[in-house]
Amino acid sequence: MSPWAVLTAAMTAGTAVSLIGQAYPTLAPYIRADLGLSLAAVGLLNTFVYIGTMLGSLPSGWLTDKLGSRTVMIIGTLVGAGLAIAIALFAKSQWMFIPFLFLVGLVVASATPAGSQAVAQSFPPERRGLVIGLRQMAVPLGGALAAAILPAVAHLASWRWASVVAAVIAILAALVAARLYYESLPPKTKTQGSHPVLTQVLRERNILLAAVAGITLPTGQFVMITYLILFLKERYGVPELTGAALLTAAQIAGAFSRVFWSWLSDKLGGQRKPLLVMMVALAGLNALILAWLPPGTPLLIKVLIVVLYGATALGWQGLHFSLLTELSPPGWEGRVVGFGLIFTSIGIAFAPPLFGLLVDFSNNYALGWIAQAAVFGTGALLLSNIVERKQNVA
C-alpha cells in the first residue's frame, strides 16, 4: 500500500470531518432565523463544538492506539455523517441543537489523532513534517468547502438540507478512505520491566510543555476568523466584502504555510521547535502591528499585514502535531496527540469571547491585539524550553 494513498485517505476523511465541524457556525444566519437563536448563542456555536473536542481528544487518542487509525478515522467520519442527518431531522430548538454541537465536537476530536498517526507511521522521519502538515491542511479545506457549498444549499433549500449535504460528503469520504487505506497494525512487542502508564507519559516534561503551549497556538486563528472583518470595518472603514476577501487571503496563506513550514523543518534536519518558536514569535509581532496600525494605512499594506498574520498565526499545526508525535513513546502517538488536542481546544473555545470582552471593556481593538501578542509570547516561551529528540534522518 502506497504511503501517499494513506495520506490521501487521511486528508479526505479529515476534510469531511472538518466540514461538519465548521458547518453550523458557517450556517449561523440561517439557523438563527429558523430556531430563533440569540446573538449570544450564535457566538457560542464554535465554543460548544470545541468543548466536545476538548473532552473527546484523549479518548480518541486512546482508541486510535488500541483500534488503529483506519478504524477510528472511518468510524468517526461515518458517525459525523449520522450526526449531521440527526441534526437536520431533530434539532427543532436551540436547546436540542446545542447538545448535538457537543457531539459533533467529539467526532471532530477523532480526526487529528487518527490522521496524524496514520501518516506518521506510513512515511519515514525525513518526510514526517511535510506529510503531517499536508494532513493538517484538511482543517482549512473543510472550512473552505463548508463556506463554498453549504450557504448556497441553505439559500436554495434550507440549512437542514445543507446539513444533509454535509452528511453525504462525509459518507463518500469514508468510502474513499476505506478504499485507499488498509492498515496493518504493528505486532505488539514484549518489553522488559514495567510498561509506562498514561499518567507517567503525559507528565513527561517535554510533552507537557508542548501540550500546554497548544492553548496559545490556535487563539490567533479563531480570533481572526471571528473578529477580523469587524475590526477592519470599525477601525478602518473597510467594507465587509473587502474584509471577507482579506480573511480568505489570510486563510489561504495559513493553509499553504502549514505545509511550507513543515517541509522546511524536514529540510533543516527534522527539528520542529526552532521554526515553531520563530513562527509564533512572528505571529505575536504581527498582532502588535495590527494593534498600532494607523487609520490612514493604505489598503495594500493592510493586505500584506493580514496575509503575513495568516501565514504565521495559522501555520503552526503541522509542526506542533509533528512535535507531539515525535516526543511520544512508540505506540502512544494517538494518546499524546489527543492530549495535546485538549489544550488546543481550550484555546479555540475561549479565545474569541475573551478577546471580545477585552475590546468591549477598553472600547478599543488595540488592547485585544496586544493581549493576543502576549498570548503568542507565552507560547513561544513555553516551546523554547522543549528539548527535542534527534531525528534519525536518512
Side-chain angles (χ1 to χ4, degrees):
M1 180 182 57
S2 165
W4 295 103
V6 177
L7 176 61
T8 303
M11 287 190 69
T12 302
T15 298
V17 170
S18 175
L19 183 148
I20 291 174
Q22 298 181 63
Y24 304 103
T26 302
L27 293 168
Y30 302 95
I31 297 170
R32 185 182 183 219
D34 182 32
L35 301 184
L37 297 183
S38 65
L39 279 175
V42 169
L44 289 171
L45 290 179
N46 226 21
T47 299
F48 281 111
V49 171
Y50 280 95
I51 288 173
T53 303
M54 177 179 65
L55 296 177
S57 296
L58 198 53
S60 294
W62 180 83
L63 285 171
T64 298
D65 289 335
K66 293 297 181 184
L67 303 179
S69 49
R70 180 182 187 269
T71 300
V72 173
M73 187 187 303
I74 293 168
I75 291 177
T77 309
L78 290 173
V79 171
L83 282 172
I85 292 171
I87 287 170
L89 293 175
F90 303 118
K92 303 296 186 183
S93 71
Q94 66 178 1
W95 304 112
M96 295 174 69
F97 185 55
I98 286 170
F100 277 119
L101 292 178
F102 174 79
L103 294 174
V104 166
L106 294 178
V107 169
V108 170
S110 70
T112 296
S116 296
Q117 187 194 76
V119 297
Q121 291 179 348
S122 301
F123 284 84
E126 62 268 23
R127 286 186 177 172
R128 187 175 292 145
L130 171 64
V131 296
I132 291 182
L134 284 167
R135 200 322 284 179
Q136 290 306 125
M137 278 189 74
V139 178
L141 284 175
L145 275 177
I149 297 171
L150 302 185
V153 176
H155 181 75
L156 291 172
S158 74
W159 72 268
R160 296 180 190 277
W161 278 109
S163 190
V164 171
V165 168
V168 171
I169 292 171
I171 291 168
L172 293 174
L175 292 173
V176 169
R179 178 77 176 175
L180 290 175
Y181 181 18
Y182 295 93
E183 181 179 36
S184 54
L185 292 172
K188 296 190 178 190
T189 57
K190 294 184 180 178
T191 57
Q192 299 293 331
S194 59
H195 191 69
V197 298
L198 183 62
T199 52
Q200 291 175 324
V201 172
L202 300 185
R203 280 203 307 264
E204 202 277 323
R205 176 183 177 275
N206 293 312
I207 291 174
L208 199 57
L209 282 170
V212 173
I215 295 176
T216 70
L217 300 179
T219 56
Q221 176 180 355
F222 284 85
V223 163
M224 185 188 73
I225 290 169
T226 308
Y227 293 105
L228 182 67
I229 297 173
L230 279 172
F231 164 67
L232 291 172
K233 178 177 173 56
E234 294 176 6
R235 170 76 172 149
Y236 302 107
V238 175
E240 287 93 338
L241 287 179
T242 306
L246 265 66
L247 177 58
T248 301
Q251 291 267 45
I252 292 170
F256 283 100
S257 75
R258 293 176 188 200
V259 180
F260 171 75
W261 294 115
S262 300
W263 168 83
L264 187 59
S265 73
D266 287 341
K267 293 298 180 185
L268 296 177
Q271 298 296 291
R272 318 299 173 191
K273 184 185 85 172
L275 282 177
L276 192 53
V277 171
M278 182 192 74
M279 188 197 325
V280 175
L282 286 174
L285 179 61
N286 273 290
L288 288 177
I289 293 171
L290 285 170
W292 295 322
L293 202 63
T297 304
L299 180 62
L300 180 58
I301 301 297
K302 294 189 188 81
V303 171
L304 289 173
I305 292 167
V306 168
V307 168
L308 283 172
Y309 185 76
T312 51
L314 279 68
W316 57 274
Q317 283 195 334
L319 288 175
H320 185 240
F321 289 119
S322 296
L323 180 62
L324 283 168
T325 299
E326 290 161 353
L327 289 172
S328 69
W332 291 73
E333 293 89 353
R335 278 163 282 192
V336 170
V337 170
F339 180 62
L341 197 58
I342 293 172
F343 292 91
T344 59
S345 301
I346 292 170
I348 292 168
F350 296 107
L354 289 175
F355 183 94
L357 279 175
L358 278 175
V359 174
D360 281 342
F361 173 77
S362 63
N363 201 28
N364 190 337
Y365 278 95
L367 183 60
W369 291 119
I370 291 169
Q372 179 65 73
V375 168
F376 279 135
T378 303
L381 182 63
L382 289 168
L383 292 165
S384 66
N385 284 285
I386 292 170
V387 179
E388 275 190 277
R389 295 175 183 168
K390 295 286 185 187
Q391 296 300 315
N392 296 321
V393 216

